[in-house]
Amino acid sequence: MDYLSTLNEAQREAVTTTEGPLLVIAGAGAGKTKTITHRIFHLVKSGVTPSQILAITFTNKAAKEMRERVEKMATETRMNGVPFVSTFHSLGVHLLRTFGEAIGVSRYFSILDRDEQISIIKRALKELGLDPKEHEPRRIVAKISKEKGNVVSRAEYVARGERGTLARDVIAVWPIYERILARDKSLDFDDLLSKSVALLKLRPDIRSRLHETWKYLHVDEYQDTNAVQYELVRLLTGKEANLCVVGDADQLIYSWRGADSKIIMNFEKDWPTAKRILLEENYRSTATILDAANKIIEKNSNRHEKILRATKPHGEKIKIREARDEMDEARGIAEEIVSLIDGGADPKDIAILFRANFQSRALEEALLTLRIPYQVLGTRFFDRKEVKDLLSYLKSAVNSDDRIALARALVSPTRGIGAVTLDHISSGREGELSEKTKEKLTQFRALLAKIKQKAVEGTVKEALSIALSESGMIESYAKDPMGEERIENLQELINLAAKYDVMRGEDAISTFLADTTLASDQDSLEKNYNAVRLMTVHASKGLEFPYVFVSGLEHDLFPHKAMMSEENGDRDEEERRLFYVAITRAEKKLFLSYASSRMVFGRREFALPSEFVGDIPVELVDFESSSGGGDPFSSSGSYNDEPTIVWDTFKRNRKS
């Protein structure tokens, strides 16, 4: 297998540079996954044991793709074993399940999702005598998460002396939140990383052991790392510093959740012996799309200088459409999609991207009207009520201290157990309950014991099947108007559990539960529905489609005014990076649209086109106006009796 011959010169250099720190700047569509997997394979061919290689990604989809590619290469060459490929959070789960008891973390901890975190924050507020409706639990959770992501402890946050209502709430709630998590043997997403960092700092013996285990580290999407992820990577890197990071500052779009551009920009300062390699050949998009992308991103200053070069011909021009309003915009997109499908395109090859979730309503209506199948990326399969209900039985079975899961399972379906009983259970006052209620609890706990026994002696699938058949959920959902769909989803959950049949014991059920909690929105695309995909631009990161529509390109919407008002000047650049990511998802054809007016908070507001539209060179564009006009550079345009759209700013942007 001549694996090196399939690589371009820069990719080959990245693959064969195996020793010491390496920074690979990989532009959109430049084959970074191929480069990483070939590098891993090259290491093995050079004599490195596969188990000595660690590769970290940000999404389950990326980890799965990388793992499958490596396994395919391993099969073809009879490679003995495969590397450890994981997301950051899955790696945290692995470290804490294996070594966490050294710092007081139970081996069988539960992982809280965001809704469960909010539930605990509400309980903490009530404990303080505060009304959750007035103290914004979501903002409190987000703030605690941000501080943990910045490797800031509760004590350090208090010492910082932040002022304001939110800071007071966080300071008051945080210790109660931690107490409840400790009592329930539960961790939140951020704990998976912050406690892993604490583990490696407090136990140098474990750190040294991991250095011997993983001698070669790879980190994908390095531009998206935050402080705690950076610290984890640093602690896992041994004295040989065989650390390869792959990323692109031009695609950093997650600063709002802690990603810090300084981490990738300062890599060569952190590792003075580091080598830098640029991957600039794009294998995804047409030259026309890339020419536009290069023009868009060159206005940013906080980046590594590079120019994406297309390996494909120019292709069709970018179509920009001006619509009267959001409904007209959606109709235009839907009609264009019908034309694509009539021309032979599969619906699943088409994506509609938008800046904000509220934009999907008009788009969905238009697609429904023209009977175009679609799938909205945003609701995780594992966030559906019935799925969470059934999973709560497993959580309760494997971790008897998980009171959040216990409370949910007890009322799914209802057993005549209400808030008073749940309060007695939570406060350890079960002895005060009636004999009838005690009997119900005894029967319930017997079911949990049976589920756990089956998980230990059999499989996760069998344990789930018992939970479903003996809990009464099927009978309960049969009375639900959506009962048939809910039962189908529960059966699908059991089918998914079958993938874990190769594992046994509590480790199997713990791994399954961790995977369901850590699953991302993109995982819902695995079913391969032949449907148009609707999603935010953020959700599209890492995906690609032959045909891409980017809607709502209006001033104050994209770029979003909330981001532009931030004191941090990099937010201006981040909105431009976000648009860059959006247009580089397209392989064959790119469609851009904006509306002259849009309904915002019940009021119709008139808008100017986004400055990003004006940055695309005229020669790359086919312009269309729903008013029948074809020249966007005229001094004005009008729709019926609506106010005139002034194009002066638009034209100035074009000339600059």
Side-chain angles (χ1 to χ4, degrees), residues 22 24 26 32 36 219-223 244-248 264:
L22 174 64
V24 181
K32 66 179 178 65
I36 295 173
V219 184
D220 191 15
E221 303 287 5
Y222 192 66
Q223 78 281 348
C244 171
V245 303
V246 184
D248 180 14
I264 189 169

Side-chain angles (χ1 to χ4, degrees), residues 543-616:
L543 302 177
E544 58 188 35
F545 302 90
Y547 308 97
V548 171
F549 293 79
V550 185
S551 63
L553 284 164
E554 298 135 36
H555 186 68
D556 286 345
L557 180 55
F558 200 175
H560 200 283
K561 60 183 178 182
M563 297 292 284
M564 303 299 283
S565 65
E566 293 279 350
E567 293 181 1
N568 183 359
D570 188 54
R571 294 296 175 91
D572 294 356
E573 295 204 348
E574 178 148 339
E575 286 292 288
R576 185 170 291 277
R577 293 194 294 264
L578 189 61
F579 183 60
Y580 174 82
V581 166
I583 64 179
T584 54
R585 299 311 92 196
E587 298 172 358
K588 293 182 179 180
K589 188 68 184 290
L590 177 64
F591 303 81
L592 309 177
S593 61
Y594 57 89
S596 301
S597 72
R598 187 176 296 274
M599 193 69 74
V600 181
F601 297 117
R603 293 180 55 200
R604 182 151 300 281
E605 296 185 358
F606 294 91
L608 290 171
S610 167
E611 65 188 70
F612 301 148
V613 176
D615 289 338
I616 299 174

Side-chain angles (χ1 to χ4, degrees), residues 169-188:
D169 288 346
V170 170
I171 290 169
V173 164
W174 200 338
I176 302 174
Y177 176 74
E178 286 188 342
R179 188 189 74 218
I180 293 173
L181 262 63
R183 183 199 66 191
D184 292 1
K185 295 180 182 174
S186 297
L187 303 178
D188 60 31

